[in-house]
Amino acid sequence: MSQQKPVVGVSEAVSLLFIFISAKIFLTQLIFSIHLGMNATWIIFLVLIFIGLSGVLLLVFLLNRFPGRDLVQVGEELVGPYINALFALFYLAVFVVSAGATLRGVSERMVVGFLPDTPISLVTFSFIISIVVVSYLGLETVARTARFLASLLVVTGLGLIALTIPLWNYSALFPFWGPGIPQLLWGALENTGDYVQILLLGIIYPFLPGGNGKKVGVMAVSISGIVMFLYVLAPILIFTYPTVSELSVPSFEMARNIYFGRFGQRLEVLFLPIWSLSNMIYLAASFYAGAAVLTRLCRLDDYRPFVLSMAVFVTVVAFIPQNVTQTAYWYFNYVTRYSFVMLIGVLLFLLLVAAFKARGGDEGV
Amino acid sequence: MTDGTRRTEPVRPVQKKNSQRKGSPGKEQPGEDIIAAGDKSAGQQGQGGGAGGSLKPSEPAGEVGSGHQRSHVSAGRAARRKRVRENTAVKEKFAEQLAANQNIDAIIKDRVEMFYDLVENRKMMEKVFRVPKNKDTVFRSLTIGTNPPVKALLVFIDGITNSQVQNMAILQPLMLLSGIFDRCDFECQMFDTTRAGYKDLFDRVKEALLPNNQVSTAHNFSRVVEDVLNGNTALLIDGYNQALLLETKGWPYRSVSTPQVEAVIRGPQEAFTEQIRVNTSLVRKIIHRPSLLTEFIKVGNSAPMQCAVMYLDDLVNPDLVQEVKRRLESVRGDFLLETGLVEEMIEDYPQHMVPQVLSTERPDRVAASLLEGQVAVLIDGNPFVMVVPCTFFTLMQAPEDAYIRWPIGSFVRVIRYVGLFLALLLPANYVAIIAYHQEFIPTDLLLAITGAREKVPFPSIVEVLVMEFSFELIREAGIRIPGTVGTTLGIVGALILGQAAVAANIVSPILIIVVAVTALGSFAIPNYSFSLTIRALRFFYIILAALAGLHGIMVGFFIHVGVMANLKSFGVPLLAPVAPVTRKGSDYLLRGPQWRQETRPDYLDPLQVRRQSEVSRSWRRRKG
Amino acid sequence: MYNAHLSKVLRKALMVVMTGALLLPLAGCYDYTEPDERAWVMAIGVDKGRQNVLTVTSVVAVPKAIAGGGGQSGSEGGSGQGGFFTITFDVPTLLSTLELINTVVDRRVSLSHTKWFVFSRELAEEGIGAYVAPLVRFQQFRRSSQLLICEGRAEDFLTKGVPQLEDNVGKYYELMQQGWRYTEFIPFDSFHQFYYKSENPGVNPVAPLAARGAKETIYTDNSFKPKGYYQAGRIPRKGGSEIEIMGGAVFKKDRMVGTLNGDQVGVQKIFFGAMKRTLLNVPDPYHPDKYIIVDVLPRQKPRVDINITGGRPKITANVKLEGQILSIQSGENYERPDRLYIVEDAVQELIFEDINDTIAKSKQLDADFLGFGLHAQKLFPTWPQWSAYNWEEKYKDADITVNVDYKVRRTGLVHEMVQLR
C-alpha cells in the first residue's frame, strides 16, 4: 500500500478468500449449526452457498460502480465520512471479533489437543508472532502464502475426509429432512454469518485484476461452500446425529478416529497443519484487513503500524471470554447470527444512496 | 496472463544526478574506460564482430561516467563511509610514495595522451608499471626493418601472453619481413606503399605488416595499460603518438572437463572452466542463433572482473536485460572474484538465506535457461554461471530430469521434493514427535524407541543437535580435508558417529537413521547453495520443534512460507508459478513430456511465448 | 530505494521473530517429555470397588522387556510374556487412577496408547455410562480403542492375561481384537461404534465379551454343538494364554442386558456388513451325524425392507451369501450342478435358523442390536417424527421375515469325491 500497489491475481485471491471463509470449519463454531440442523445440517450448508453467493454478488455490484476503490472508500464517497465511520467500525468489528474468537479457538484447540501442559498465552503468543510477521509483509505476501499453502491444505483436508470413509454410516442421513424443512431454512438464516467473511473481498477489491471481482467472489464462495458442506457431512456420517452434536471440534475427532490397522491410527498429529495453517492464514488476512480498514478510516497510506494494533485488539478480544464455551457461544450469537444481515443492510443502504445520488456512472455491472 | 499481473518489476531508469563524487583521485576508477576496454576486447575476441560490436554504443565519456557515480547513496550510508578513517600516521610516513601513486593514477585517470617520442612514451610506461621493481612487464625494443628502419617498442606482461604468437606474428614480420616490399619495389609495383593508400608508416604496420588477428589503436596510456594488463601486447612506434594493441592473450587455464558439482549420468558431460571466452563459446556452441548476444561489463573497483551477460535478443524481456545490466553496472564493489560475490551484489534480498540466482556449471543448463528467456551472467575466472531470474522450482530442477524419460523425470523430481522435505523437517519432526506427540508413533515402535533410549543420558533434542552438528562437521571436514586422507574420513565419520555412538549409549539407534536420511535428503537437492540453505534452516526448525512440538514447526513454517512468498528474484516472485499463479507449462513441479512443453514460463514475460508448435511431432500427421 | 525500504521492513520483522524466539525458551518447553520419562498404559480394567467405588487396574508396558534395553542389544527382545505389569487402585472415579498411579510409578503415566477398556460384567449390568463419559471427553483416550466386557473381575482378567506369542502386550490386545476380521465370533465394534450406537435410538450396541479360560469342565456330554454355541468363559479348551474373546454383550442404554454366543455375534455382523468369512458345519441331509463343511462369505449387504402398517413394523430381511464347499464328510457327490441345491438348501436352512435364533434373542432382550431401526428411520421425513415413533417400544412387536440365499461358488481343490469302498 505504501510502496507500490499490491497486485493479487485471481488464483491467489480465490485461495485467500476461500480459506478465509472456510477456516472456521476447524473450530467449534460449526456445532451450533448441527444443533439447529440435526442430521440434515448439510442441507443448511447447501442453502448457505446460495445466500453467500447472493451476498457476494451484491457486494461486487456495489464495488463495480466505483472501480479502484474499496468498500470503505466507496462508503465515504456515498455517505460522507461520519456515517461511513460507523460502517467502517462495523467492518472492523467483524474482523476483530471473528479473529479474536478464532485466535482463542485455535489456541484452545492446540492446548487441548496437542500441548496440554503449555499455557495458552504462550500458544497464542507464538501464533501472534507468525501472523504479525506475515501480515506485516503485506497483502501480496498473505495472498501468495495462502495460495502456496492452499494446495497443501486442500490435499490434507480431503485426505482427512477420505481416510474416514470406512467409518461412514449412510443411514445417518435419515430421517432425510432432519428437523423439518422450515427449521432447516430457519437454521440457514441463523447461520448466514458463516459468509460474512466475504467482506474481505470488499477490502482487497482494488488490488484485484480489473473486472475479475465477480469471478473471485463467486469461485471463493462456491469452493468454500463445498468444503464446508463436506466438513459438515463427514462428521454426520461418521458420528451420526445425536453423537455428532456433542463434539467440540468434529474435524479433530474425525482425525482421532481414523483407524487403519495397528499402524494407521492416532493420526491427528498428521492433520495438525490444517488446523494451524488454515487459521494462521485466516488470522493474517484478518490482521491485514483490519489494518487496512483502520488505514482508510484514518486516511493514512501505510497499513503497517495498524498490524501491531490489530494484534493488540485481537488478543484482547480473544481473552475477554472466560472460557472456550463462552467464546463459541459469543461467536455464534454475535457473528454467525447477525453480522451477515447487517452487512447486507449496509450494502443495500449504500446501493440505495448510490442510486439516489445517481453517482458512480452508469456502467454498473 | 490470465491474472493480468505484470510479474516483471518495472525497471526504473538509472538516475542520473549531477552530484559527481568528489573523492580522492586515487580511489576513483575510470568507469567509462573500463567498459570501453571490455567492449573492445569483446569485439576483438568475439567470433563475429556483429555480435559483440554492435552492443555498446561508445557513449560520450563524461555522461557514462557520471551515470556511474553513486548518485543516490543515502545519507546514512555516506556517513558510515566517512567513518572509515584514513590512517594519518602511515600517510605521513609514506607521503612520497603516496604522491607517486597519485601521480601514476592521474596518468590513467586523466587519459594522458601519448607522446610522439618513443623514449618519452617508454618512460611513461615504465613509470606506470613501476618497471625497475616490477619484473613481469617486458619492454622489448626493436627496429622495424622498413626503409628506413624505425625504432619501436613492444610492451607486454610476461606469463599472460603467448610468446609463440609474439615471435611468429609480431617480431618476425616486423623485424625480418617488413623490408621485403621495400627492396623489390621495382618488381612489385602493386605493393607500392603509396598506391596501397597507407597514410603513413603506422598505418602500414597495422594494415600490412602484422599478421595478427585482432589489432586496434590506442591514443592514451590508460587504454594501453588496460590492454597490456589483459594479456595483449602494445606496439609503440617512434614518432607516432599512438600505440598498436595486438591480441596475444595466452595464459594457462584448465581445459573443459566433466562437471564436478552437477554430474549427470545421461546428458552432456562438459562443464564451464575458468576462462570466460571458453565459457561463452561453450554456450554459443549449443545455441546457434544470431540473436544470442554477449555483452561485457566490468564489475569491481580494485581489480575489475570481466563479466559477460548472455541472452537471446529475440526472446528475453528487454526489461529484464536492462535490469541485469543496470545492477551489474552500478555495482561499486571492491573485488568480485566469484559468482557468489557478484550474486550478493545484484540480488534483491541478500539478507535472506534463499539463493535468488541459479548458479550452474553446465553449459546445457545455461543454454536451456536462455532459451526460456532467462539471462546468464558469466564472471571471468569462474566455472559457475549465474542464471537469473530464478524461482524456487528451478532451484529444485536438475538438467537430467529432461534427459531421461519424462515419467521417470517426474518421479525423480518427486523424490527430490521428498528429499527437500526430509532435509528440512525430518530432524525437527523427529524431535517434535518423540518429545511431544508420542501418541502418533505406533505402539511397537514407541516401545522399541523407549527401550533403546533407556540408557541414553541426553534428552532427544541434545542428541539430535549433537548428531546433526557432527554430520555438518563431517561434511565440512570432508570438503576441506586434503585429498590423500579424504577417503579415510568417511570411514572414520561413519564409524565414530554411527556404530560407536550407539554402542556407547550416547545416542539412540533410530537417531542415526534420522540423521542419515536427513543427510541423503540434503544431498538430493540439486542446487548447492540451496542445499546449504536448507541445512542451516533445519536447525531453526529443530529448535522450534523442541520448543512447541509440531505447533512450533508450523509457526516457523508459516513465517518461512510468508517470507519466501515475499521474495523476488529480478522482479520475478520466488514462488512463481505457484504463488502467484501464472500460466504454467508442464515443467515446474513435475516434468511433462517434451512434446507438451509448448510455452515459455509466463513469469518471465518473454517476447515469444510459444516455444514449439501445438503439434510438435509432425511425423504423426499421416499424409492424406 | 524500494529494496532499502523493504529490507528495513524485513529487518524489523526478523527482529520481532528473534525476540519471540528468545522469549519462547524463557517460557520453557512445557510439554517436552522424553519417551523414556513416560509410562504407557496399554489397558484399563474397571471393577466394582472393594475399598472405594471402583477398582481400576492399569496395564503398564515395560519397554525394556519389549525392546531389550538400549545399546546394540535391541534385537534380543523380551521373553514373549508381554512385558507388562499391572497396578490396581481402588478409586472414586476412573480418572483418579491417572493421578494416583504416579504415586507408584516413577514415569509419568500416559493413557494415549490405551487399547482396551475392560469393564467387568458385574459393573456393566449396573450401567457404565458414568464411567464411559470421560472416555469421549478426555484428550488422552480415543474412540478408536476397544471396550470389552469381561466375565469375572477385570483385575484378574488383565493381570493373568499374559500373551504367549507377543513381547508387547499392546500388540497382543490389538491383534486379539482384530480377530473380528477372520472369525465371526468377535464383534467388530470399536468404542466409537459402541458409543454412537448407544446414543442412537435405532440401534443397540454389542461389546465383545471376554473372559479367562474356564478351569473346570463345562459341558457334560459329547453331543454335537455348533462351534458358535460357545461364548467367552464357556469354551472347552486347554492350553493357550489365559484370556479369550468370544460372543458379545448386548447393551441397552448404558446397561448390559444379556450376552450373545458366537453364532449370534456372527449374525449381528452379517447385518452390519462386518462379517468377512465363517466356516459352517451343516448337517448332511441324507447322512445323519455327518456334516458338510462350507465357508460363508457375504455376497452383498443384507437388504432390509420395512413397512409400518398400523404402527407395527413389518420387517423383511434378505440375506445373500456365497461360499465354497470345504469338506463333505459323507463323500456324497453333492458337487454336481444338479445336486448342488441340496447343499445350498441345507446351508440356507442352518443360517436361517441362526438368524431367527438371533432375532428371537434380540426380541427377548428387547434390544435391536441388529440395527433394524437404522433402516426404519429412512421411512420418516424428520427427526421429531422418528423420535415420536419410539422405535425401542415398537421393536418387540415387529413382524420379521428373513430370506436367506446361499450360493456355492466353488468346491475347493476336489472336483468330485469318489466314495470310499
Side-chain angles (χ1 to χ4, degrees):
Chain A
M1 210 180 281
S2 65
Q3 287 93 36
Q4 59 184 123
K5 209 176 133 183
V7 178
V8 180
V10 170
S11 174
E12 292 106 280
V14 169
S15 310
L16 180 64
L17 198 54
F18 125 68
I19 295 174
F20 194 68
I21 295 173
S22 51
K24 64 175 82 62
I25 53 176
F26 298 116
L27 294 175
T28 311
Q29 278 82 313
L30 196 65
I31 283 305
F32 296 101
S33 349
I34 294 182
H35 283 306
L36 288 168
M38 296 186 171
N39 63 333
T41 312
W42 53 275
I43 298 177
I44 290 186
F45 278 80
L46 284 183
V47 176
L48 277 179
I49 294 180
F50 294 103
I51 294 180
L53 279 179
S54 47
V56 91
L57 288 177
L58 194 67
L59 180 65
V60 171
F61 180 69
L62 174 66
L63 288 168
N64 273 350
R65 298 183 132 219
F66 303 90
R69 273 179 244 186
D70 64 29
L71 195 54
V72 185
Q73 289 166 323
V74 168
E76 190 160 319
E77 162 117 12
L78 286 175
V79 295
Y82 296 107
I83 302 178
N84 187 53
L86 282 179
F87 293 165
L89 283 177
F90 163 67
Y91 310 145
L92 185 66
V94 168
F95 287 126
V96 170
V97 172
S98 340
T102 307
L103 180 62
R104 179 68 180 271
V106 71
S107 307
E108 295 278 0
R109 179 60 19 224
M110 286 299 145
V111 169
V112 171
F114 301 100
L115 302 166
D117 293 344
T118 309
I120 187 162
S121 52
L122 191 64
V123 176
T124 313
F125 182 64
S126 59
F127 273 126
I128 290 279
I129 288 178
S130 61
I131 293 155
V132 164
V133 169
V134 172
S135 54
Y136 198 79
L137 292 175
L139 176 62
E140 248 179 18
T141 304
V142 175
R144 285 178 189 167
T145 310
R147 179 62 190 82
F148 188 77
L149 294 175
S151 32
L152 178 76
L153 292 177
V154 168
V155 169
T156 357
L158 293 182
L160 173 55
I161 289 185
L163 286 175
T164 55
I165 286 177
L167 298 171
W168 288 7
N169 311 290
Y170 295 99
S171 59
L173 289 178
F174 301 98
F176 192 79
W177 294 109
I181 297 171
Q183 282 83 353
L184 281 179
L185 291 178
W186 177 246
L189 288 179
E190 290 253 293
N191 282 291
T192 46
D194 284 345
Y195 283 95
V196 74
Q197 273 83 12
I198 56 169
L199 191 52
L200 180 69
L201 185 65
I203 306 299
I204 65 170
Y205 202 78
F207 311 122
L208 298 179
N212 277 319
K214 194 163 154 191
K215 192 173 153 194
V216 170
V218 170
M219 274 178 72
V221 168
S222 316
I223 296 174
S224 49
I226 292 165
V227 169
M228 294 198 325
F229 164 71
L230 281 177
Y231 265 88
V232 167
L233 186 62
I236 291 175
L237 288 176
I238 295 164
F239 296 102
T240 73
Y241 163 58
T243 313
V244 70
S245 58
E246 301 177 350
L247 305 172
S248 70
V249 180
S251 57
F252 183 62
E253 205 55 52
M254 273 160 70
R256 282 166 65 89
N257 257 12
I258 294 172
Y259 189 90
F260 280 94
R262 292 198 303 126
F263 183 75
Q265 52 174 322
R266 300 185 297 270
L267 296 182
E268 72 265 21
V269 173
L270 211 55
F271 296 98
L272 184 142
I274 49 174
W275 292 293
S276 113
L277 288 181
S278 61
N279 283 302
M280 279 196 275
I281 293 171
Y282 173 88
L283 288 167
S286 296
F287 279 28
Y288 173 80
V293 171
L294 278 170
T295 314
R296 294 275 181 263
L297 203 57
C298 305
R299 298 210 185 116
L300 299 176
D301 5 293
D302 199 340
Y303 67 92
R304 288 181 297 184
F306 290 115
V307 170
L308 287 173
S309 44
M310 269 301 282
V312 175
F313 291 161
V314 170
T315 316
V316 167
V317 170
F319 284 99
I320 290 175
Q322 299 289 314
N323 49 51
V324 67
T325 330
Q326 206 172 38
T327 316
Y329 269 92
W330 284 5
Y331 184 89
F332 177 70
N333 284 337
Y334 301 120
V335 179
T336 313
R337 248 191 206 144
Y338 302 119
S339 63
F340 188 80
V341 181
M342 284 168 72
L343 176 65
I344 294 294
V346 169
L347 291 181
L348 284 176
F349 179 71
L350 289 179
L351 269 176
L352 214 66
V353 173
F356 190 67
K357 287 188 169 179
R359 282 168 76 170
D362 296 321
E363 68 269 32
V365 176
Chain B
M1 289 280 274
T2 47
D3 292 0
T5 318
R6 188 164 185 78
R7 304 299 173 194
T8 316
E9 188 184 312
V11 180
R12 283 180 304 280
V14 182
Q15 276 174 293
K16 288 180 184 170
K17 289 184 191 167
N18 291 327
S19 61
Q20 187 154 357
R21 187 171 58 146
K22 301 282 188 286
S24 63
K27 293 218 157 40
E28 203 60 61
Q29 288 295 323
E32 79 284 9
D33 239 7
I34 291 167
I35 288 158
D39 184 29
K40 188 221 77 186
S41 55
Q44 281 182 348
Q45 300 157 28
Q47 296 186 340
S54 66
L55 282 176
K56 192 84 188 176
S58 50
E59 299 207 14
E63 200 193 324
V64 177
S66 67
H68 284 254
Q69 300 313 313
R70 37 180 208 122
S71 49
H72 49 270
V73 172
S74 65
R77 229 202 270 162
R80 213 183 308 149
R81 191 65 68 79
K82 253 181 224 162
R83 263 179 257 138
V84 185
R85 284 271 163 74
E86 306 268 336
N87 190 338
T88 43
V90 172
K91 269 194 150 172
E92 278 163 25
K93 189 176 174 193
F94 299 107
E96 207 172 309
Q97 184 158 358
L98 278 173
N101 285 348
Q102 268 185 16
N103 205 354
I104 293 169
D105 286 340
I107 296 174
I108 292 167
K109 194 191 163 252
D110 299 343
R111 313 163 163 283
V112 174
E113 295 283 321
M114 299 186 68
F115 306 110
Y116 287 95
D117 183 21
L118 184 62
V119 179
E120 254 178 284
N121 276 339
R122 179 175 180 140
K123 242 186 232 162
M124 205 58 146
M125 294 293 283
E126 279 176 346
K127 191 174 166 193
V128 172
F129 284 109
R130 281 94 163 159
V131 147
K133 276 193 274 180
N134 190 350
K135 300 292 181 290
D136 271 356
T137 323
V138 177
F139 288 82
R140 167 78 160 88
S141 51
L142 68 150
T143 308
I144 302 175
T146 46
N147 193 15
V150 183
K151 278 259 172 199
L153 177 70
L154 278 186
V155 184
F156 58 92
I157 295 182
D158 193 21
I160 58 170
T161 49
N162 186 338
S163 55
Q164 195 73 21
V165 172
Q166 287 176 320
N167 292 343
M168 302 304 291
I170 300 172
L171 291 173
Q172 188 175 328
L174 284 181
M175 294 166 79
L176 303 179
L177 309 173
S178 55
I180 290 175
F181 303 133
D182 290 345
R183 269 175 238 128
C184 62
D185 48 6
F186 304 114
E187 296 102 282
C188 330
Q189 279 297 322
M190 59 186 298
F191 289 112
D192 184 74
T193 50
T194 47
R195 278 186 58 187
Y198 304 128
K199 284 188 300 204
D200 50 19
L201 177 72
F202 190 85
D203 206 29
R204 184 175 161 209
V205 169
K206 184 183 172 193
E207 297 285 323
L209 294 184
L210 286 174
N212 197 294
N213 73 339
Q214 290 178 38
V215 177
S216 60
T217 12
H219 293 274
N220 54 40
F221 285 107
S222 66
R223 178 81 189 276
V224 174
V225 168
E226 177 70 40
D227 252 46
V228 168
L229 285 172
N230 274 330
N232 290 345
T233 302
L235 175 68
L236 285 69
I237 301 173
D238 193 19
Y240 295 94
N241 68 338
Q242 45 192 342
L244 272 178
L245 302 174
L246 313 167
E247 149 73 28
T248 56
K249 289 193 185 74
W251 52 75
Y253 58 85
R254 198 166 59 96
S255 60
V256 175
S257 59
T258 52
Q260 302 293 308
V261 183
E262 292 171 273
V264 295
I265 290 178
R266 191 169 169 183
Q269 300 288 352
E270 60 184 15
F272 289 120
T273 69
E274 283 76 7
Q275 173 74 338
I276 193 166
R277 295 307 325 188
V278 176
N279 291 352
T280 51
S281 63
L282 283 174
V283 177
R284 208 165 262 288
K285 191 182 77 162
I286 299 173
I287 306 178
H288 298 279
R289 271 170 86 139
S291 59
L292 175 63
L293 300 195
T294 311
E295 292 190 43
F296 282 87
I297 295 170
K298 285 243 166 175
V299 179
N301 284 2
S302 293
M305 269 292 161
Q306 190 86 287
C307 197
V309 179
M310 290 187 93
Y311 56 90
L312 283 163
D313 197 33
D314 54 348
L315 286 183
V316 72
N317 187 320
D319 273 353
L320 176 61
V321 180
Q322 196 60 40
E323 178 69 14
V324 172
K325 276 158 61 183
R326 184 179 77 87
R327 289 192 191 178
L328 279 173
E329 280 164 5
S330 53
V331 165
R332 306 245 147 262
D334 173 49
F335 173 51
L336 304 164
L337 169 69
E338 218 269 349
T339 38
L341 304 172
V342 181
E343 180 184 331
E344 252 175 61
M345 287 294 195
I346 62 169
E347 70 191 353
D348 300 55
Y349 305 96
Q351 62 278 76
H352 280 281
M353 283 183 148
V354 191
Q356 294 141 50
V357 305
L358 176 79
S359 69
T360 177
E361 56 167 349
R362 299 186 57 87
D364 53 333
R365 181 130 203 224
V366 171
S369 308
L370 292 183
L371 285 166
E372 278 192 347
Q374 276 152 300
V375 175
V377 179
L378 296 82
I379 313 279
D380 196 11
N382 203 318
F384 285 91
V385 170
M386 291 189 282
V387 176
V388 294
C390 106
T391 67
F392 168 70
F393 294 99
T394 49
L395 286 174
M396 288 300 290
Q397 292 170 0
E400 202 169 9
D401 302 347
Y403 301 152
I404 52 182
R405 303 191 60 73
W406 67 266
I408 317 296
S410 300
F411 174 64
V412 168
R413 277 205 191 151
V414 170
I415 295 216
R416 209 174 287 141
Y417 281 101
V418 171
L420 172 69
F421 172 79
L422 293 176
L424 185 63
L425 290 175
L426 180 66
N429 277 334
Y430 172 78
V431 171
I433 286 171
I434 215 91
Y436 283 88
H437 310 293
Q438 291 110 344
E439 72 271 12
F440 179 63
I441 312 172
T443 313
D444 289 325
L445 181 60
L446 175 67
L447 293 173
I449 291 173
T450 312
R453 267 193 61 81
E454 297 280 354
K455 286 178 187 155
V456 177
F458 306 118
S460 305
I461 170 68
V462 175
E463 270 184 281
V464 170
L465 285 176
V466 165
M467 286 308 289
E468 292 290 344
F469 182 75
S470 316
F471 165 71
E472 290 299 315
L473 200 62
I474 293 183
R475 191 190 58 76
E476 184 60 22
I479 297 171
R480 308 291 156 229
I481 204 160
T484 42
V485 283
T487 44
T488 54
L489 182 82
I491 304 163
V492 169
L495 213 69
I496 291 180
L497 291 176
Q499 293 290 98
V502 172
N505 285 323
I506 304 291
V507 295
S508 46
I510 189 166
L511 187 68
I512 303 290
I513 302 172
V514 170
V515 173
V517 172
T518 309
L520 287 178
S522 71
F523 289 128
I525 299 169
N527 187 287
Y528 181 66
S529 57
F530 190 49
S531 163
L532 289 180
T533 308
I534 295 298
R535 284 198 189 118
L537 283 173
R538 177 177 80 196
F539 286 96
F540 287 104
Y541 278 108
I542 292 176
I543 289 165
L544 284 174
L547 293 179
L550 204 57
H551 167 70
I553 296 179
M554 279 306 132
V555 166
F557 185 66
F558 188 64
I559 297 179
H560 191 176
V561 172
V563 171
M564 288 254 290
N566 192 40
L567 292 186
K568 286 195 181 86
S569 163
F570 286 82
V572 173
L574 195 73
L575 292 181
V578 166
V581 171
T582 58
R583 193 181 49 227
K584 301 182 181 75
S586 50
D587 178 28
Y588 67 107
L589 188 65
L590 300 177
R591 168 81 201 174
Q594 183 58 32
W595 73 87
R596 293 248 187 87
Q597 318 265 337
E598 277 155 15
T599 54
R600 303 199 158 81
D602 190 36
Y603 53 81
L604 294 172
D605 277 344
L607 295 181
Q608 295 173 20
V609 171
R610 182 160 282 279
R611 63 162 91 186
Q612 59 191 13
S613 61
E614 196 101 18
V615 182
S616 41
R617 296 176 298 163
S618 14
W619 53 268
R620 281 169 66 91
R621 275 203 205 125
R622 285 280 162 77
K623 60 164 183 114
Chain C
M1 244 166 55
Y2 174 68
N3 281 347
H5 198 106
L6 223 136
S7 68
K8 219 164 72 190
V9 172
L10 289 172
R11 213 174 302 134
K12 275 185 203 154
L14 202 71
M15 254 172 59
V16 174
V17 178
M18 297 277 272
T19 329
L22 285 175
L23 283 175
L24 279 172
L26 290 182
C29 329
Y30 290 90
D31 277 287
Y32 188 99
T33 359
E34 293 295 334
D36 56 342
E37 289 166 2
R38 286 212 168 213
W40 278 278
V41 172
M42 292 292 146
I44 288 182
V46 190
D47 288 305
K48 262 185 114 158
R50 294 197 171 104
Q51 302 167 54
N52 205 329
V53 183
L54 295 173
T55 303
V56 178
T57 310
S58 313
V59 176
V60 182
V62 183
K64 214 163 170 174
I66 292 161
Q72 291 292 291
S73 52
S75 55
E76 280 170 16
S79 50
Q81 296 297 305
F84 71 94
F85 64 90
T86 55
I87 180 163
T88 303
F89 288 95
D90 275 40
V91 285
T93 61
L94 183 55
L95 279 177
S96 319
T97 319
L98 185 61
E99 205 168 332
L100 270 174
I101 200 166
N102 276 324
T103 58
V104 183
V105 179
D106 56 336
R107 299 184 179 183
R108 183 173 183 187
V109 170
S110 162
L111 304 174
S112 58
H113 279 259
T114 309
K115 318 286 179 198
W116 274 5
F117 298 104
V118 183
F119 287 87
S120 70
R121 182 170 179 168
E122 186 188 10
L123 199 65
E125 282 172 343
E126 287 179 9
I128 55 172
Y131 317 121
V132 162
L135 304 190
V136 294
R137 201 187 281 271
F138 186 54
Q139 172 251 354
Q140 290 185 5
F141 294 119
R142 58 190 64 232
R143 296 173 192 224
S144 55
S145 49
Q146 192 70 28
L147 184 128
L148 278 88
I149 305 300
C150 84
E151 304 270 9
R153 278 184 76 80
E155 179 189 344
D156 302 333
F157 176 79
L158 290 176
T159 314
K160 300 275 163 50
V162 179
Q164 294 196 318
L165 284 175
E166 306 304 334
D167 289 343
N168 172 4
V169 70
K171 183 180 177 187
Y172 173 61
Y173 292 153
E174 272 188 279
L175 288 182
M176 276 297 278
Q177 189 270 323
Q178 273 179 21
W180 73 265
R181 292 173 194 218
Y182 32 83
T183 82
E184 61 163 339
F185 308 131
I186 302 178
F188 72 101
D189 288 12
S190 69
F191 178 64
H192 158 65
Q193 270 105 355
F194 180 88
Y195 187 70
Y196 89 74
K197 281 181 183 174
S198 59
E199 288 195 337
N200 196 310
V203 64
N204 289 109
V206 175
L209 188 67
R212 295 169 57 200
K215 293 282 171 300
E216 64 280 359
T217 317
I218 303 159
Y219 305 101
T220 47
D221 58 339
N222 68 343
S223 64
F224 175 81
K225 299 173 190 69
K227 63 183 168 39
Y229 180 71
Y230 303 139
Q231 65 186 54
R234 296 175 60 78
I235 305 175
R237 67 161 176 136
K238 276 203 172 70
S241 56
E242 189 78 2
I243 60 182
E244 57 199 28
I245 305 181
M246 183 170 181
V250 181
F251 277 73
K252 238 189 133 176
K253 293 214 169 66
D254 65 336
R255 277 182 43 236
M256 175 174 163
V257 291
T259 60
L260 302 181
N261 66 22
D263 277 340
Q264 288 162 340
V265 167
V267 171
Q268 187 248 5
K269 283 166 75 180
I270 286 176
F271 277 93
F272 282 96
M275 198 213 49
K276 307 273 183 195
R277 178 184 289 265
T278 178
L279 301 185
L280 217 54
N281 305 317
V282 186
D284 195 324
Y286 298 140
H287 302 267
D289 300 337
K290 293 278 169 87
Y291 294 93
I292 306 168
I293 303 165
V294 294
D295 77 344
V296 179
L297 289 77
R299 192 155 88 216
Q300 44 183 261
K301 227 185 148 185
R303 184 190 163 83
V304 179
D305 296 309
I306 300 184
N307 257 319
I308 298 179
T309 41
R312 186 156 172 262
K314 192 166 179 305
I315 302 171
T316 317
N318 292 300
V319 178
K320 296 197 169 163
L321 306 159
E322 63 181 12
Q324 67 173 332
I325 298 173
L326 294 178
S327 160
I328 299 172
Q329 286 182 341
S330 61
E332 187 145 354
N333 54 352
Y334 296 124
E335 303 94 336
R336 289 205 176 164
D338 54 334
R339 302 192 71 207
L340 213 48
Y341 75 94
I342 300 170
V343 180
E344 290 175 350
D345 285 352
V347 174
Q348 283 170 14
E349 179 77 11
L350 191 68
I351 295 173
F352 180 75
E353 272 171 30
D354 273 351
I355 293 177
N356 269 350
D357 176 43
T358 313
I359 288 172
K361 180 88 181 180
S362 80
K363 284 195 169 170
Q364 176 210 330
L365 297 174
D366 194 14
D368 176 16
F369 58 79
L370 295 176
F372 290 124
L374 295 179
H375 299 277
Q377 68 190 21
K378 292 178 190 171
L379 301 175
F380 296 86
T382 68
W383 195 274
Q385 282 168 299
W386 164 238
S387 306
Y389 181 70
N390 203 352
W391 176 258
E392 290 101 324
E393 289 290 308
K394 304 289 187 334
Y395 174 66
K396 59 175 176 288
D397 304 326
D399 180 9
I400 303 175
T401 320
V402 177
N403 303 311
V404 181
D405 180 21
Y406 177 82
K407 291 274 181 282
V408 173
R409 297 293 187 203
R410 47 200 77 86
T411 60
L413 300 181
V414 175
H415 180 61
E416 259 179 60
M417 197 174 253
V418 180
Q419 287 283 343
L420 295 177
R421 303 274 173 215

